[in-house]
Amino acid sequence: MGRRPAKCYRYCKNKPYIKSRFCRGVPDSKIRIFDVGRKRANVDEFPLAVHLVCDEKENLSSEALEAARIVVNKYITTQCGKDNFHLRIRVHPFHVLRINKMLSCAGADRLQTGMRGAFGKPFGKVARVSIGQIVLSVRAKDTFESHVVEAIRRATFKFPGRMKIFVSKKWGFTDLFREEYLRLKAEGRLKDQGVHAKRLREHGPLFKDVV
């Protein structure tokens, strides 16, 4: 028996049902890699950030997330090179789907009991997303903006429902607008955190050399 189509599990109907000691035998998620490309690149190298935002409350299957990751990675690697971007999948499939398997062979009515004991067995995993939630983000150099947007546009075809593409006004994966980032960097008020940067606050413990 093959997989049920995603339309059977598209909507968030029930409470979150996660893998636990009560819910065992859950198949592994299809997506195992959430960061692709040059993920260790410093925050200064990739100022551009483009986001794919979900516009519906729905479930996104791990298979769909993996398909989107592959298509974005392949297109940007071909057009820009494998060291000129960093893709991050921002949602994780924790919700477990269930299936009540029904026999469809001859004589099935003698073997199965209809709706008796109808609580299903674990079948797959999905990520529950809400309206306005970011599904994936790509940071790159400004010169590759058109290629990044096209790659994410191709990824939208892997998901059900409405998806929107936003070119961020902020610097990379930081929470600072570009002008503010450059100003704080010039003033020496940024702490480099690798992939992102943190603003140094003006309150807190005094330094030892301050009397």
Side-chain angles (χ1 to χ4, degrees):
M1 183 177 178
R3 282 185 68 246
R4 274 187 189 167
K7 66 183 178 183
C8 301
Y9 298 102
R10 178 174 165 185
Y11 299 108
C12 298
K13 291 182 180 178
N14 305 317
K15 294 177 182 178
Y17 183 65
I18 60 168
K19 184 177 179 180
S20 66
R21 68 180 192 270
F22 310 110
C23 171
R24 299 182 300 275
V26 178
D28 285 335
S29 168
K30 286 289 183 291
I31 182 166
R32 306 307 295 262
I33 301 168
F34 292 85
D35 281 273
V36 181
R38 200 152 135 251
K39 55 193 175 188
R40 293 185 183 276
N42 192 271
V43 64
D44 292 325
E45 296 184 53
F46 295 149
L48 173 72
V50 185
H51 305 295
L52 177 65
V53 177
C54 184
D55 203 30
E56 292 189 27
K57 186 182 179 188
E58 60 183 354
N59 292 324
L60 300 180
S61 69
S62 62
E63 288 86 358
L65 292 168
E66 175 69 0
R69 182 190 69 83
I70 289 170
V71 73
V72 172
N73 183 33
K74 194 163 193 175
Y75 185 83
I76 301 183
T77 302
T78 305
Q79 299 295 327
C80 313
K82 63 183 176 62
D83 290 333
N84 291 320
F85 76 101
H86 173 201
L87 161 68
R88 175 173 284 171
I89 304 293
R90 302 276 293 272
V91 294
H92 288 247
F94 290 129
H95 181 69
V96 179
L97 301 177
R98 297 190 298 264
I99 183 170
N100 181 25
K101 283 187 180 173
M102 307 290 277
L103 299 172
S104 58
C105 56
D109 54 329
R110 296 172 180 274
L111 299 173
Q112 62 190 26
T113 54
M115 291 302 289
R116 182 183 297 170
F119 194 87
K121 297 285 185 288
F123 163 68
K125 292 175 110 177
V126 295
R128 293 161 67 95
V129 295
S130 54
I131 296 171
Q133 186 170 348
I134 297 175
V135 177
L136 60 87
S137 302
V138 178
R139 65 186 181 118
K141 295 174 182 173
D142 286 325
T143 51
F144 298 127
E145 180 178 333
S146 59
H147 294 308
V148 171
V149 170
E150 172 60 17
I152 294 180
R153 188 192 71 84
R154 294 181 177 209
T156 61
F157 300 120
K158 307 299 179 186
F159 297 117
R162 291 185 302 273
M163 294 280 171
K164 292 182 177 177
I165 300 170
F166 289 96
V167 178
S168 177
K169 294 180 180 178
K170 296 184 176 179
W171 184 286
F173 288 170
T174 67
D175 60 348
L176 302 167
F177 289 101
R178 290 195 174 208
E179 301 79 15
E180 189 181 10
Y181 179 89
L182 293 170
R183 179 175 57 80
L184 291 172
K185 187 172 178 63
E187 293 172 3
R189 291 173 55 200
L190 277 184
K191 184 179 181 184
D192 192 334
Q193 298 269 307
V195 174
H196 66 100
K198 191 168 71 171
R199 184 194 287 114
L200 290 172
R201 303 290 178 180
E202 294 179 351
H203 62 270
L206 294 171
F207 294 108
K208 292 179 181 178
D209 55 346
V210 178
V211 178

